[in-house]
Amino acid sequence: MINTEKNSITSMQFIFIISGIQISVAVLSLPRKLAEAAGTDGLLALPLGYLLNLLCGYIIIMVMRKSSEKSLYDTLSKTMGAWVAKGFSLLLAFYFLHLMYDGLVRAILIVKTWLMPNTQGYVLMILLLFPAYKIALGGPRILGRYAELVTVISCWLPFVYLFTLKYAHWLNLLPLFKDGFLPVLTAVKATIYPSLGIIAVFILYPYLQKKEKAVSALVISNSITMSVYIFITTICFIYYSPHESTVFNDPIISILKTIEFRFIERIEIPFISFYLFVFSLVWIPCMYIASFCISQVFGLSDHRFPLRALVIVLAIGTFFYLPTYNQSDKIELWLARFGFCIEYILPSLLLVYLTLYKRFHRRAAS
Amino acid sequence: MIHAENEMDKPEQEDGILFNLDENLKIVRNLFSESPDLFIRTFTIKQTQEQAALLFIDGLSDQQAINNDVLRPLQVHTEDGKPGDELMMTVGHIIEESRWSQIEISLLHGSSVLLVDGRDKAYALGTGGWPQRAIEDPQMEASLKGAHQGFVETSGQNIAMIRRYIPNRELKMRRLIVGRRGQTNVTLLYLADVMNPELLRSMEERIQKIDVDVILNTGELSELIEDNPYSLFPQFVLTERPDSAASQILQGRCVVVVDRSPSVLVAPVSFYSFFQSIDDYSTRWSIATFLRLLRLFAFITAAFLPAFFIAVTSFHIEIIPLKLLLTLGESRGQVPFPPFVEAILMEITLEMLREAGVRLPAPVGQTVGIVGGIVLGQAVVQAGLISNVMVIVVAFTAISSFILPNYDMVAAVRLIRFILMILASLFGFVGIIIGLMTMIAHLLTLKSLGMPYGNPLAPVRFSDWKDTIVRAPLWLLNKRPTSTLAKQDTTQSNDKPEEGKP
């Protein structure tokens, strides 16, 4: 059904797509959420979250290895029946629509607050959808190239944050485990939302050129994500005092206010505009995956029609309704729960089912 | 009338040449009616005592060659022969033709045709000699250290110039004829043991698919075989330099030489091919790397600087530090237009000046410079219509676009600049970023002969970076670019030259 030959992606592209979906908008509020849960100890929750993600990523890859057919959809329709497979695709489509909508709304809200308060939300939406449509139309290969290119052109971003080190108070981080181990464990919950996106492997795995390297690719992509998070969170925690960290909505952007060069003031303005590239790494792949899943549900030959419909609905929908910041926070909250079920629980269930199915099937056959 | 009817009845038989010379000449006069430039010279061949006629088109054939190498040997009595003998002519290029359609083509391409009474075949003699210009320094791509030979309008000479650089029997050619009326000779040159055969076949198929009256220029050919003709970006490199063409062939690309056009087409290429110049390889690698990065920077400023200025002055005035803001305010204070109008006015003026300079003859062209530089540059600022800063921005943009070595890419940049200016005036930085994102999306999907255009940045191929974004020392460039999918990828096994010991 799908042509994976012409659309194959390299391991590097795979890594950057996954990391891109994870980082994009989630990085903005991560330090605040960690601080809310555990103060500066929130930093310690990140490695724990990382381990959790590795485990979950491994399970997802195992599911893909176990699935004998070309794609997971085919495997499911073979083992559980066409309707279950369609239901599964629909679920994934909903999930990725959710992820995409969250990313888009976040980006629009941030642009509206910081750059263009007078511009209508739907105008920004239409602007953002323009390149997104063009890239999502191209399929995994173009997505992969886009993710790669964006990574290359935005690798200078972290270095700008080093300028804040002038005002760093390393002592903020100490002592470790100030309130014991429990707050750290609760802070792990905050790392779930920024790690969402590994599930994209379900769709992208068939396109991967070197499938035997999938595990290491996933480890690398999770490591990239985690090191970015640790870096950013450390910067925020050593800059802001422990109580201040929870005050700012998007500490990553607010922190830029302190950086000043001779030739440019308020560096956050060009920075946020450039950040749109990083933000776009969540909604563009999700847009593709969602429309691909919808095309599977309806048995369409490619994802073009769902994608077009999606773009039009988004543009018109935003004209009537755009969530506010608080509503977007709620969306995020729901997304974290939804995502936990989809990304951490569902793959394990699938793995168990597929293993059992194989065992029974083999026994039945022999 | 009878003749025409006969032709209708049995066209194949009529296409052949008859034995009778008078009949043949009648057919020729019929075919070439109202063509006073067709000359028919009838004479008797001394050698065989046969009646013969020599046909040629005045101006397309070399008079000297016809007089000395054809007419003289045939009319001077040498040894006795009988009718049907091989004729004595001192011409190298003789083809026997027996069909009128072929004779017509040979005649129109400059050959002279010898018809002999009693023979049902004609001799097309390679005495072509049409108006030609001398080989000169290529104007569009001047180089400091490279060769000073540019392509001319004759494909034979152009091919010879390329062959001088690659005297190897693996340099193969495919000759195709394009155009129903023009019958343009289009030659595909490639290295048989390097060039990827699928790309070659794709190129050949594309050229064969063309069905037009005539191709006047390589540019036309390139538009007809492009992957995406709606794109702003050129997808093939057109070069006037034999050394560039040869170097591209050696990299595993193919070159299309079009007769009557002084530029050849190179495919497949990527975005970065337009930022390379042949001088990069003859200068030291450090300066070549610097120049390549400078060109990339120039591309960015040429496309983005006016848009950036508009965005800053009309949306994000707060990012300018106070001191700079004061200077800027002083300059912009009395300007009655919004920044966008100001920028568009100046940019359009610049484009007009540039276009005026291209067409005008050199002595008049100087006036354009004076009018542009002094009258517009200075007077407009003194009159308070345009700010000083805007003039600087526009001048900087112009200089940046002059740095780019390829004209087609500069043309693309000029259009992109206007689009970005409009976007910036509507949405500030967000508009610019959206424009950039759309441009990237477009570049990602664009292809040149089916190969990704964004290579080696998207898809990332680090091994190709050393001869695109930078120019590494030559001994490191031992692989052909992966973007050409060359069959043989190693070009050399040079080591770093050893330091001389005293």
Side-chain angles (χ1 to χ4, degrees), chain A residues 250-287:
Chain A
D250 299 312
I252 302 295
I253 297 175
S254 307
I255 201 171
L256 290 169
K257 283 189 152 187
T258 56
I259 304 171
E260 208 171 276
F261 296 110
R262 274 285 164 79
F263 52 92
I264 190 166
E265 261 174 39
R266 306 239 0 225
I267 191 178
E268 75 269 18
I269 295 210
F271 225 79
I272 294 169
S273 332
F274 196 83
Y275 249 134
L276 280 178
F277 272 112
V278 182
F279 297 162
S280 73
L281 287 181
V282 65
W283 70 69
I284 296 177
C286 289
M287 211 172 210

Side-chain angles (χ1 to χ4, degrees), chain A residues 15 138 156 178 239:
Chain A
I15 291 170
W156 56 275
K178 358 180 150 31
Y239 177 76

Side-chain angles (χ1 to χ4, degrees), chain A residues 12-13 111 115-116 123 127-128 131 134-135 142 145-146 148-149 262-266 269-270 273 276-277, chain B residues 315-316 318-319 321-322 427 429-430 433-434 436-438 440-442 444-445 452 457-460 462 465:
Chain A
M12 193 152 69
Q13 292 169 341
V111 168
L115 298 176
M116 328 220 45
V123 176
L127 278 179
L128 294 180
K134 188 121 178 56
I135 295 168
I142 303 294
R145 286 184 194 160
Y146 181 72
E148 259 178 335
L149 189 69
R262 274 285 164 79
F263 52 92
I264 190 166
E265 261 174 39
R266 306 239 0 225
I269 295 210
S273 332
L276 280 178
F277 272 112
Chain B
F315 279 89
H316 313 290
E318 65 269 28
I319 72 162
L322 192 62
F427 305 108
F429 277 163
V430 179
I433 292 290
I434 294 294
L436 178 62
M437 224 186 248
T438 316
I440 287 177
H442 176 66
L444 287 178
T445 44
L457 205 57
V460 173
F462 287 115
W465 281 28

Side-chain angles (χ1 to χ4, degrees), chain B residues 195-487:
Chain B
M195 174 90 192
N196 183 290
E198 275 195 26
L199 293 181
L200 189 71
R201 199 174 57 228
S202 151
M203 190 73 188
E204 208 178 337
E205 273 168 13
R206 284 183 197 194
I207 296 177
Q208 276 166 345
K209 258 191 211 154
I210 299 176
D211 183 20
V212 288
D213 252 9
V214 65
I215 285 183
L216 294 178
N217 215 313
T218 316
E220 271 177 62
L221 180 82
S222 112
E223 194 170 326
L224 289 168
I225 60 176
E226 255 170 356
D227 295 66
N228 182 358
Y230 299 108
S231 171
L232 289 180
F233 291 97
Q235 290 139 52
F236 297 122
V237 167
L238 299 185
T239 179
E240 292 188 313
R241 303 189 58 86
D243 45 0
S244 315
S247 117
Q248 300 280 22
I249 290 176
L250 287 169
Q251 307 241 307
R253 301 192 169 92
C254 70
V255 158
V256 181
V257 179
V258 179
D259 196 14
R260 302 163 218 167
S261 176
S263 48
V264 304
L265 182 146
V266 180
V269 296
S270 76
F271 181 66
Y272 289 96
S273 311
F274 296 91
F275 293 85
Q276 299 175 358
S277 130
I278 197 76
D279 268 341
D280 292 354
Y281 301 98
S282 47
T283 44
R284 304 189 60 74
W285 66 270
S286 39
I287 190 73
T289 299
F290 171 69
L291 285 179
R292 282 199 174 165
L293 295 175
L294 191 72
R295 285 180 203 136
L296 209 57
F297 176 71
F299 172 80
I300 293 168
T301 48
F304 289 89
L305 189 66
F308 183 79
F309 184 74
I310 292 173
V312 169
T313 46
S314 49
F315 279 89
H316 313 290
I317 204 87
E318 65 269 28
I319 72 162
I320 309 171
L322 192 62
K323 273 189 182 168
L324 189 59
L325 191 65
L326 288 176
T327 326
L328 196 68
E330 213 172 297
S331 153
R332 282 228 62 227
Q334 48 179 335
V335 177
F337 307 119
F340 175 66
V341 176
E342 205 188 353
I344 282 281
L345 273 179
M346 279 316 277
E347 284 294 340
I348 289 197
T349 316
L350 174 76
E351 294 297 323
M352 283 181 170
L353 282 174
R354 183 196 293 231
E355 203 52 31
V358 170
R359 308 272 170 259
L360 285 174
V364 194
Q366 289 176 351
T367 335
V368 175
I370 294 168
V371 170
I374 296 174
V375 179
L376 284 171
Q378 226 166 351
V380 149
V381 172
Q382 275 175 0
L385 292 174
I386 305 282
S387 65
N388 268 325
V389 185
M390 185 45 92
V391 174
I392 295 171
V393 165
V394 170
F396 197 81
T397 320
I399 294 170
S400 306
S401 65
F402 292 142
I403 289 178
L404 301 182
N406 187 292
Y407 177 80
D408 291 326
M409 191 45 97
V410 175
V413 170
R414 281 154 78 179
L415 290 180
I416 291 167
R417 185 191 304 150
F418 282 104
I419 297 172
L420 285 171
M421 276 159 68
I422 294 169
L423 276 173
S425 73
L426 292 175
F427 305 108
F429 277 163
V430 179
I432 297 180
I433 292 290
I434 294 294
L436 178 62
M437 224 186 248
T438 316
M439 191 172 98
I440 287 177
H442 176 66
L443 285 175
L444 287 178
T445 44
L446 200 59
K447 285 174 177 175
S448 165
L449 201 63
M451 297 307 291
Y453 192 66
N455 219 319
L457 205 57
V460 173
R461 303 224 192 286
F462 287 115
S463 56
D464 284 0
W465 281 28
K466 56 191 179 191
D467 193 20
T468 44
I469 295 166
V470 299
R471 204 280 268 170
L474 282 177
W475 69 86
L476 289 176
L477 306 178
N478 48 9
K479 288 270 194 311
R480 295 185 213 277
T482 54
S483 59
T484 58
L485 297 178
K487 278 197 281 187

